Amino acid sequence: MSISAPAIGLDTGIWTELADAAALARDSTHSPVAFPLAVKANIGVRGFARSAGCRLLDTGPEEADAPVVAAFRAAGAVVVGTTNMHELALGVTSDNASYGPVLLPLDGAFAAGGSSGGSAASVAAGAVPFALGTDTGGSVSIPASHCGVVGFRPSTGRWPTAGLVGLSWTRDTPGVFTRDVGDAIRADSWVTGSVAGVVRARPRLGVPRELVADLDPRTAHAFSSGLAGLAGIVELVEVSLAPILPRTRAAEPAIVGWESVRELGLAAARALGLAPDRALEALSRGVESTDVAAYLAAAIARPVSADQYAAAQSDTVAARGLADALFAAHDLDALVFPTTPAPAPRVDGRAEGEHLGRATSLFDLYTRNTGQGTVLGCPMVTVPLPVDQGALPIGLTLQGRRHDDARVLALAEVVSRRLAPASTPTS
């Protein structure tokens, strides 16, 4: 199919540069490692605006690259543009009122997911082999699943977060979208200098019962078929996250509620030349996406208290200890689960949808499985599951121990090879 720049959320002003960079990557007279890279609009790139999908922050080009961009440039990346996203990264659809919705390349009636939807769609459409995103509560994993590409969310702290317009220093991390896991492994080595991980002969994967309940029938079928396809190369162990989930779910809104207003206040202060408190209020009035405006207004009117934030920090520490104990008790290499309970939603501008016959918040639905891992700070690798021709993509996420990124990447490569029919994005 023919893909236009707006359809994948790539800054339309650089479409010619994208073609030039792709030609450069194929031209043996230039550096053989040169390749085009797209970057989410909340990551600093020299010469490009860092709007975070918000017109109010779109004040001019950045003077310097964020460290994560610099690492990719050192490996040969040619930055060809910034990608559209959910405004301020505060959503899961990338339905952006300022710059338009990011559409699923396979079927433009559906959302690419968010908040890093433009980056995932750029890879899915075949425009670039690598695209950078950011992840707070699933913003790499969710669009990777919807778009049928590989998404790698490193352990929080593994990749540098400087130069980002972020939401949470506890949960934020840059991440990457690629066409295969091998490229994600290479990307991790460029940023961290890590070597390839080792996978034992028969890895043990924990299947959390809470994350495989109440699935859309299409997701349930793809997940069960995918697990059946892994028979013989992994050992599956049913586990429960019961002692962990109450703590991570309690911590999620309080952590972001406290930290996001401070992160966004500083970003707005930098862009607008105001004190952070005044800049945050101006930002709240200036955002154009209804759901984002409502979130900021509520966060300012009913701020998270210091006691609530302290309780969330305590829950986070306790949950991380419990997760470590779960892995040790079951001798697990990773958890495995459907990335989202349902495939991509339709693009209709609504914050609610229907799931299993019930009205539900799209944000709550699509972060249900990913939120816990982001509070834990764990590495997550999302790979496509086999689906019928023309069906919406569905992702499988492997979640490892915190800071065990090399192992979970290596394991994801083994799994994705077994699921090879779904490993090539549709364009």
Side-chain angles (χ1 to χ4, degrees), residues 158 185 188-196 406 409:
R158 182 176 178 86
I185 292 172
D188 187 56
S189 72
W190 299 335
V191 178
T192 69
S194 68
V195 298
L409 279 164

Side-chain angles (χ1 to χ4, degrees), residues 100-187:
V102 183
L103 309 178
L104 194 67
L106 177 69
D107 187 334
F110 294 88
S115 62
S116 307
S119 291
S122 296
V123 173
V128 290
F130 295 85
L132 287 172
T134 64
D135 191 301
T136 303
S139 289
V140 167
S141 306
I142 295 165
S145 177
H146 289 355
C147 291
V149 298
V150 171
F152 171 48
R153 182 209 194 276
S155 293
T156 305
R158 182 176 178 86
W159 286 22
T161 56
L164 273 61
V165 176
L167 297 176
S168 169
W169 53 82
T170 298
R171 299 170 66 188
D172 281 348
T173 179
V176 68
F177 300 95
T178 64
R179 295 171 186 168
D180 59 60
V181 179
D183 277 346
I185 292 172
R186 281 183 279 278

Side-chain angles (χ1 to χ4, degrees), residues 30-125:
H30 292 83
S31 170
V33 298
F35 60 90
L37 170 72
V39 181
K40 187 178 180 181
N42 65 336
I43 301 175
V45 181
R46 184 176 185 178
F48 290 85
R50 187 178 57 167
S51 69
C54 176
R55 289 191 196 276
L56 200 68
L57 301 186
D58 196 351
T59 57
E62 293 289 303
E63 295 181 350
D65 288 333
V68 68
V69 174
F72 272 73
R73 284 202 200 270
V78 178
V79 180
V80 297
T82 57
T83 58
N84 197 4
M85 55 183 284
H86 208 104
E87 191 167 9
L88 299 180
L90 283 167
V92 296
T93 63
S94 294
D95 190 352
N96 187 305
S98 298
Y99 300 101
V102 183
L103 309 178
L104 194 67
L106 177 69
D107 187 334
F110 294 88
S115 62
S116 307
S119 291
S122 296
V123 173

Side-chain angles (χ1 to χ4, degrees), residues 3-403:
I3 300 296
S4 67
I8 61 172
L10 198 64
D11 181 350
T12 56
I14 54 76
W15 194 246
T16 300
E17 295 177 43
L18 173 62
D20 291 345
L24 175 65
R26 295 191 297 268
D27 188 346
S28 60
T29 64
H30 292 83
S31 170
V33 298
F35 60 90
L37 170 72
V39 181
K40 187 178 180 181
N42 65 336
I43 301 175
V45 181
R46 184 176 185 178
F48 290 85
R50 187 178 57 167
S51 69
C54 176
R55 289 191 196 276
L56 200 68
L57 301 186
D58 196 351
T59 57
E62 293 289 303
E63 295 181 350
D65 288 333
V68 68
V69 174
F72 272 73
R73 284 202 200 270
V78 178
V79 180
V80 297
T82 57
T83 58
N84 197 4
M85 55 183 284
H86 208 104
E87 191 167 9
L88 299 180
L90 283 167
V92 296
T93 63
S94 294
D95 190 352
N96 187 305
S98 298
Y99 300 101
V102 183
L103 309 178
L104 194 67
L106 177 69
D107 187 334
F110 294 88
S115 62
S116 307
S119 291
S122 296
V123 173
V128 290
F130 295 85
L132 287 172
T134 64
D135 191 301
T136 303
S139 289
V140 167
S141 306
I142 295 165
S145 177
H146 289 355
C147 291
V149 298
V150 171
F152 171 48
R153 182 209 194 276
S155 293
T156 305
R158 182 176 178 86
W159 286 22
T161 56
L164 273 61
V165 176
L167 297 176
S168 169
W169 53 82
T170 298
R171 299 170 66 188
D172 281 348
T173 179
V176 68
F177 300 95
T178 64
R179 295 171 186 168
D180 59 60
V181 179
D183 277 346
I185 292 172
R186 281 183 279 278
D188 187 56
S189 72
W190 299 335
V191 178
T192 69
S194 68
V195 298
V198 177
V199 179
R200 56 177 162 174
R202 191 171 169 82
R204 286 172 61 87
L205 304 182
V207 183
R209 64 173 65 104
E210 296 87 353
L211 305 188
V212 299
D214 298 324
L215 300 177
D216 180 283
R218 294 165 294 177
T219 302
H221 174 71
F223 179 65
S224 62
S225 297
L227 291 190
L230 298 178
I233 68 166
V234 302
E235 184 177 356
L236 299 174
V237 183
E238 183 178 323
V239 299
S240 174
L241 303 183
I244 300 169
L245 285 179
R247 290 171 171 83
T248 59
R249 287 175 175 165
E252 284 182 57
I255 289 287
V256 173
W258 175 275
E259 295 175 357
S260 65
V261 293
R262 288 159 175 79
E263 293 267 37
L264 293 175
L266 290 173
R270 174 180 178 272
L272 303 177
L274 299 172
D277 287 351
R278 289 184 61 200
L280 181 66
E281 292 175 356
L283 183 64
S284 178
R285 293 191 301 268
V287 295
E288 298 178 38
S289 301
T290 303
D291 58 334
V292 178
Y295 177 86
L296 288 178
I300 293 171
R302 298 182 296 278
V304 173
S305 71
D307 287 343
Q308 289 171 320
Y309 182 57
Q313 290 177 309
S314 178
D315 280 332
T316 298
V317 172
R320 290 176 176 179
L322 289 167
D324 289 341
L326 176 72
F327 269 72
H330 294 280
D331 189 24
L332 299 178
D333 294 279
L335 301 178
V336 61
F337 49 87
T339 311
T340 62
R346 288 190 172 274
V347 177
D348 57 15
R350 296 189 301 170
E352 285 197 347
E354 185 177 291
H355 179 63
L356 302 181
R358 302 186 301 270
T360 185
S361 157
L362 293 180
F363 184 89
D364 291 345
L365 176 66
Y366 288 106
T367 61
R368 190 196 77 177
N369 285 7
T370 57
Q372 50 78 32
T374 69
V375 173
L376 297 174
C378 295
M380 296 180 179
V381 185
T382 296
V383 300
L385 281 163
V387 295
D388 294 336
Q389 183 69 28
L392 292 175
I394 294 169
L396 177 82
T397 290
L398 293 158
Q399 178 177 312
R401 285 179 186 258
R402 193 160 53 110
H403 304 311

